[in-house]
Amino acid sequence: AITMDSVTKTHALGGDTPAHRDETYDCDGAAAGAPELSDEMALRIAQLSDPNHSIAAFAAQYLFERSHTSNPRAAENKDRIGRSGAILRICRLMESEQEAARFQACSALSELAFCHEANCRAIISTPGCLEAVVTLLQPDNGTSQCDAALIVNNCAAFCTDTCASIVHYPGMLAALQALATGGNTSSKNVAVGALNSLTRCPSAGVRLAMLSAGVVEDTLSAVLAEEGQGDLYEARIARAAMGIANLQGEDEDAALGDGPNFTSAMATICKIMRFALQEKSWAGIFFAPYSVCLPLNKLSRCEEHRHRLVSHGLVELMSELLATWKPSHQSNSTLLLALAISHQLLVEPDCDDQRDRAEQCGLLDNVVKTAEGARGENADAVAAAEAIVSGLRERHQAVWMSQSARVGEGSMMHQLDDNVMELISRLAHV
């Protein structure tokens, strides 16, 4: 796993930056019972407070490298650093007048936040941290804008508990919105990613704050209207579409997006889901299945969008997700979303294409496999899968019982002509 920043400190999403994971992904918890700090690490943490910010910047770089996922002891090191009190000192370094010091501080914080909920909480709750981030997001801070947005992105992606503090902090949403539509290409990509991560928070208060700030109408819709080409552009458009779906999906009166870019974004979202299931990067990003399945579930509730998604492989993707599922971080939440989509496709199909695709890819077989609960699926997922199977079984029973000489003798179905009965039988078949 490689995170958002490269070891060589090249900016995320630009140049030869390696693939990174800025979405919620499989990760280990904080290292239990991690050993105490080594003498060298303790020295570097102390140097974070050195009045010579060149020395402090070097110390922050050292902590970044020890926390990077390419380091075999990254999980333990993140736990050590988080418990040492170093986060407060790194946050203060974001206020340095030296750009290099600010960059190293942001890099260290975003890496410490990656896949570590405790560090995310510590970063966002540190006095002065959010103020410093908002300051760095302003246009006159140049490349520091992108670096600061990475902190928001990782904290929101890996700990939804931090989202409320982030969105309610004065100036934060406005700064991210301005960056998403007016920054350079790299900054735009990261800012849209950060906003998308925030939209996945289940808190109604966070959703309301983002809607009230015009995140959909003024920002994500504006991003969708941009023209461009290439994988990075397509990824930005897709994330904007996913963010809109996450925020508006619960609102029955809201239009979930329109226009050619939104339509093309749905094809990209399905492509992203395919890469996520294969655990491969696309456009320099490792997307987690959960981060894609959440907006897919919202989009698939709209008949028009569902038809488009099906044409881009939604049925096959859900079948593959169910077939290859294994316990991991947020995997049960992902499984429940996949089953909700599968319920629409199997129990409430509204076109022959959905039925044919479901039969060809074995979607029902994989739902049955999930209902068995033999792989560690939680009780809610097993119950959801069983409900699908039960609903389909009842359809078959209703049809065939009507044909019984004894049980179906008085069935009203006998009054229907053969063509209607053939249609009913076909609709009952999956």
Side-chain angles (χ1 to χ4, degrees), residues 188-369:
K188 280 184 178 181
N189 292 336
V190 179
V192 172
L195 289 171
N196 181 39
S197 293
L198 289 167
T199 67
R200 294 197 296 270
C201 179
S203 166
V206 169
R207 176 176 175 268
L208 179 60
M210 298 189 77
L211 289 173
S212 299
V215 169
V216 172
E217 293 85 352
D218 301 334
T219 307
L220 297 181
S221 293
V223 172
L224 274 174
E226 296 176 357
E227 297 299 329
Q229 57 184 353
D231 288 351
L232 296 179
Y233 163 77
E234 291 183 14
R236 185 167 73 248
I237 296 300
R239 289 157 117 183
M242 288 191 285
I244 291 175
N246 290 338
L247 288 176
Q248 290 193 328
E250 303 296 336
D251 187 352
E252 295 181 357
D253 297 325
L256 277 180
D258 49 24
N261 283 351
F262 193 91
T263 300
S264 63
M266 285 189 280
T268 305
I269 293 171
C270 287
K271 177 166 66 174
I272 289 172
M273 189 67 191
R274 194 166 293 109
F275 279 102
L277 292 175
Q278 297 171 356
E279 297 189 10
K280 294 181 179 180
S281 69
W282 177 74
I285 309 164
F286 279 97
F287 287 88
Y290 174 80
S291 68
V292 191
C293 222
L294 181 62
L296 279 177
N297 182 43
K298 303 288 182 67
L299 290 169
S300 65
R301 296 176 188 176
C302 169
E303 181 178 343
E304 180 182 356
H305 293 330
R306 182 166 63 253
H307 287 173
R308 288 199 179 99
L309 292 169
V310 167
S311 71
H312 295 303
L314 176 65
V315 182
E316 292 81 2
L317 290 169
M318 292 303 100
S319 183
E320 182 180 352
L321 191 157
L322 296 178
T324 60
W325 183 89
K326 58 185 177 181
S328 60
H329 181 69
Q330 285 202 318
S331 61
N332 279 309
S333 297
T334 305
L335 187 57
L336 285 171
L337 291 170
L339 289 169
I341 297 172
S342 299
H343 185 279
Q344 291 179 326
L345 298 171
L346 290 170
V347 181
E348 304 171 9
D350 50 20
C351 67
D352 290 339
D353 189 30
Q354 292 181 30
R355 299 184 190 90
D356 294 342
R357 285 173 176 264
E359 184 174 2
Q360 291 169 9
C361 72
L363 178 58
L364 179 56
D365 291 338
N366 290 320
V367 171
V368 172
K369 182 178 181 180

